[in-house]
Every structure is written in structure tokens, then in C-alpha cells.
Amino acid sequence: QLQLQESGPGLVKPSETLSLNCTVSGGSSSSSSYYWGWIRQPPGKGLEWIGSIYYDGSTYYNPSLRSRVTISVDTSKNQFSLRLYSVTAADTAVYHCARQTYGNYHNWFDPWGQGTLVTVSS
Amino acid sequence: EIVMTQSPATLSVSPGERATLSCRASQSVRSNLAWYQQKPGQAPRLLIYGASTRATGIPARFSGSGSGTEFTLTISSLQSEDFAVYYCQQYNNWPPITFGQGTRLEIK
């Protein structure tokens, strides 16, 4: 059964870069059947899609974050990564990684990682 | 961007009763809609995709309906483990993928 696990610093200073990894186990990040996505959830609030990546490196970003986001995939490590630049307190959230089904009109997320809380504070 | 609006924000229902949650899209998403359940401290869990298809392992008391701009998630007989927050998500037109703001289902 596929599992996803986020990892990275839990505290980032304002104006710095948030960097997270998601390790895929029980499956392959090089599968052509899926995208790999990042979704965040500010404390007590709803879900916001950040972006997704395909195994070939094709990326899709939320326009609201596009200028500050890079998502990459390392199929040799079975990992994909998120970098969010110039963070502010508004970027404080639980960050989830998730597998996203590939194909026209099949783009739901299943499963999700447990999530990791990243706090932006000096 | 397609805006997803869920109602009500909070729904109070007694165990054993039926719960009906609504999700509206700002423009047609056809049947390209998913529902998720999230319990405190846990990751969201996929319940429904394609507006009405239950995901693997999801009990039959969960059902989804609707198309276009109006969607409903129905839980036919609430169990204690069903009290959670529910989100809808459209994937008809992306990026961006968008979620509703959630409906909290609480015990009455």
C-alpha cells in the first residue's frame, strides 16, 4: 500500500525558503499514472492546492503562489520536493503531500501524507 | 478560477440520522468533483470521486450526487466515526485545483 511521508524543518524565518520533501513508499514516483502534489492547510482553515508534478518533471502551480514555488521530483530517491520562497507568517500551515491521479478528469488526491506543520516566525 | 462553496459551515446531526452536505461550484465542473473526510490531526481521506463513485473501502452509507454546479454528499445513518470535516474539490478545470471551505459535521 502506497504511503507518503513529509519531512523538513518545522520552523522557518520570514523571508527565507521553506523546503520540504515527500518520500514515497510502497510505490514509485516514476509511475506514468500519477502526479504528485502539495496541499497546505493553515491552522483551523481549509485546504489550498499548491502545485503538482508529473514524473517527467512537468509542473502545475497555483497561480496565487506560482512566483514563489518550485516543485521537483527525484525518481532515484522516490521523493518529490517543495520549495516556497520569501515566506511570511501567512505561509504557516500544515503541508501535505499527496498522490494525484493522472488523466483527463481523473485528478483527485489519494492517498495523502499525514502532513507536517511549518511555522514561519523569527 | 472555479470557486467552490460548501454549506452549511457546521451541521449538527444525531447518530443514526441522515446528513446532507452541499457543495456549489461557481461554474460547471460536470461530474469532476471529489469529496474528502478529515478528522482532527489526520490527513484528508478520499470518499467520493466522479461526483458519485465511492473510493475503495468507503462504506455504502456514503453517497454522492449531482453534476454541473450543485453537488450533495449524503451519509445515510451517521456513525460516531463519521463526525469530521468534509471538503469538496473540483478537478474539471485546473490549474488551479480548488477546494470548498469545508463543512464541520458535529454530534447533536
Side-chain angles (χ1 to χ4, degrees), chain B residues 17-66:
Chain B
E17 293 190 340
R18 175 189 297 256
T20 302
L21 290 68
S22 296
C23 176
R24 174 177 292 179
S26 61
Q27 63 189 77
S28 176
V29 298
R30 298 193 278 184
S31 294
N32 299 308
L33 184 110
W35 289 94
Y36 300 87
Q37 176 194 66
Q38 187 177 32
K39 298 179 181 179
Q42 296 186 16
R45 177 174 72 145
L46 177 69
L47 298 175
I48 301 282
Y49 60 89
S52 61
T53 302
R54 277 189 303 277
T56 302
I58 301 303
R61 65 181 181 273
F62 290 90
S63 63
S65 63

Side-chain angles (χ1 to χ4, degrees), chain A residues 11-115:
Chain A
L11 181 64
V12 180
K13 290 182 168 56
S15 80
E16 295 191 345
T17 298
L18 180 159
S19 295
L20 295 174
N21 292 322
C22 181
T23 300
V24 179
S25 58
S28 174
S29 62
S30 61
S31 170
S32 60
S33 298
Y34 302 102
Y35 299 101
W36 305 94
W38 288 98
I39 303 103
R40 70 179 182 179
Q41 187 169 28
K45 295 189 178 180
L47 301 165
E48 180 182 31
W49 174 71
I50 300 169
S52 301
I53 190 165
Y54 194 46
Y55 80 101
D56 66 358
S58 302
T59 51
Y60 307 84
Y61 297 131
N62 193 322
S64 68
L65 295 168
R66 173 187 298 275
S67 63
R68 297 196 294 128
V69 172
T70 298
I71 296 175
S72 58
V73 63
D74 186 337
T75 56
S76 67
K77 294 183 178 179
N78 224 16
Q79 282 184 342
F80 60 105
S81 302
L82 169 70
R83 302 195 80 185
L84 182 63
Y85 308 101
S86 304
V87 298
T88 70
D91 295 310
T92 293
V94 173
Y95 286 76
H96 294 277
C97 58
R99 185 180 69 177
Q100 177 186 351
T101 308
Y102 176 81
N104 287 338
Y105 310 118
H106 287 78
N107 307 125
W108 52 86
F109 296 99
D110 181 48
W112 296 54
Q114 183 69 18

